[in-house]
Amino acid sequence: MASDDERFEELVTGIVAPLVLGGKLRLARPFGQLGTKLGEGRHIVDADVRSRIDVARVRRARLVAPVDTLPDLDAHEWALAAALNDLLQVTNHELGGLFTKGRYMRLVRSVFDLCGQIPPPRDVGAALARHATFARVMELGRADTSVRWWTGSASFRGVPPPKRLLMWQNLRRVHVETQRVPLHEMCDGLPSTVAEGYQIALAAWLSRSPLTDLGSITRAAPTFAWTPATIALIAVPAGRMLAFRVLSRQRAEHVTTALEKARAGLDGGLATHRAVVEEFSREVVSAFEAMRAKPEKRTASGTSSPRT
């Protein structure tokens, strides 16, 4: 059995490094509750990898804030990375068989429980640090390949087809089609309860990084909804500014539609924060209108009457 240090290294090389630096993620076996303590007192051993991750995180953060440094990943961020690994394992169509389909829902519940043990960012700086690490999560996808030949067909999710199936393509009339499956659709084809649980767990995961949650507000699924963490972020001026900056990188009409749907969905204890949410939504709409007006003003001021 792998030691905790070895499992931490799996998390570094398989999840965090490719997520931050770009590249293919390599999933490890689920971490479960180990994820809550795996990052305590540990840091990335490889100095080169650590340096490149630091630079990439600062570069990402500077898209929304004028910072030159960020703190190292803390235990909560490592726990989020472990939860992401386990969440992606839910999409593994080979995880359960005919008599072991219960594995999917057990893993979904494990991810949900793990996210529940990760507190929201303690302040705006911590929210920015988490976003710098996980900003690309909703860009993740899986390459699925279908192969058809004159006597049959086969599908491969996230893995390339074996070379033997691609031999003698003209003679065997081999046709290969590759499709990119976005993160929110990666459970399609599994039982509906698993797919629904996956969406709920993904929403719970996003809620642990509120700036990332807002930064993907126009996503197809899971639909954005206000959470205590996102409301706490926009309740302070610095957090509100960061929130607008991540929103401004998306299409204005899609952002305003998502904000309106989320405002209408406020209920329960969150309904008491309706005034904060509505004020922020109005400010976002006004800011987008001002941004659209600026090019028009520049065009108008730079236009001269044609000479006669």
Side-chain angles (χ1 to χ4, degrees):
M1 181 178 294
S3 67
D4 287 358
D5 287 340
E6 291 172 325
R7 301 235 58 201
F8 178 76
E9 188 63 21
E10 290 177 341
L11 195 57
V12 172
T13 59
I15 301 296
V16 172
L19 180 64
V20 175
L21 302 176
K24 184 177 180 179
L25 274 64
R26 299 189 304 277
L27 302 186
R29 60 186 174 86
F31 290 93
Q33 293 304 305
L34 175 63
T36 61
K37 61 179 182 180
L38 198 59
E40 294 178 356
R42 291 187 174 88
H43 59 82
I44 301 173
V45 176
D46 189 314
D48 178 62
V49 172
R50 184 170 66 249
S51 176
R52 289 193 292 127
I53 287 177
D54 288 345
V55 170
R57 291 175 69 233
V58 169
R59 186 180 297 120
R60 172 65 68 168
R62 286 182 66 85
L63 294 175
V64 294
V67 297
D68 294 320
T69 60
L70 287 173
D72 292 338
L73 277 74
D74 61 19
H76 300 317
E77 287 174 88
W78 288 114
L80 264 178
L84 176 62
N85 174 87
D86 293 5
L87 181 66
L88 293 174
Q89 281 286 16
V90 175
T91 72
N92 181 356
H93 287 244
E94 298 180 358
L95 179 66
L98 180 62
F99 301 105
T100 56
K101 290 184 178 180
R103 291 177 179 174
Y104 290 105
M105 287 309 298
R106 285 197 296 272
L107 188 52
V108 167
R109 287 191 290 269
S110 174
V111 172
F112 195 80
D113 291 343
L114 179 54
C115 289
Q117 296 180 56
I118 302 171
R122 63 184 180 277
D123 54 31
V124 174
L128 178 62
R130 287 192 190 183
H131 181 63
T133 304
F134 299 110
R136 293 184 57 245
V137 160
M138 292 307 295
E139 300 173 16
L140 295 176
R142 185 185 68 210
D144 288 358
T145 305
S146 61
V147 182
R148 299 197 308 272
W149 61 97
W150 63 344
T151 60
S153 63
S155 298
F156 303 89
R157 294 184 173 95
V159 294
K163 292 182 179 180
R164 60 180 177 78
L165 286 184
L166 306 181
M167 296 176 63
W168 308 102
Q169 293 194 18
N170 292 333
L171 178 63
R172 297 172 54 242
R173 300 176 186 174
V174 177
H175 177 74
V176 180
E177 182 176 345
T178 301
Q179 178 183 12
R180 185 185 183 279
V181 180
L183 180 65
H184 67 276
E185 294 181 0
M186 284 168 55
C187 264
D188 288 2
L190 291 173
S192 59
T193 53
V194 176
E196 292 170 5
Y198 172 75
Q199 294 294 339
I200 294 172
L202 178 54
W205 188 93
L206 284 167
S207 73
R208 300 298 87 187
S209 182
L211 203 54
T212 307
D213 199 2
L214 283 162
S216 59
I217 194 172
T218 60
R219 59 187 181 259
T223 304
F224 173 78
W226 288 106
T227 65
T230 48
I231 292 175
L233 183 69
I234 66 166
V236 296
R240 187 171 295 205
M241 178 59 71
L242 291 184
F244 175 71
R245 285 175 178 168
V246 297
L247 292 177
S248 67
R249 300 177 64 83
Q250 304 170 73
R251 292 179 65 90
E253 59 271 26
H254 295 167
V255 170
T256 53
T257 298
L259 285 174
E260 176 56 28
K261 288 182 178 179
R263 183 201 62 78
L266 280 174
D267 55 13
L270 294 181
T272 59
H273 302 286
R274 186 178 299 276
V276 174
V277 168
E278 290 179 344
E279 181 185 17
F280 175 72
S281 298
R282 287 193 298 269
E283 290 178 357
V284 170
V285 171
S286 297
F288 276 132
E289 290 175 349
M291 290 170 63
R292 283 195 295 266
K294 284 182 179 179
E296 295 174 1
K297 289 181 179 179
R298 285 197 296 267
T299 301
S301 62
T303 301
S304 58
S305 301
R307 295 183 179 181
T308 57

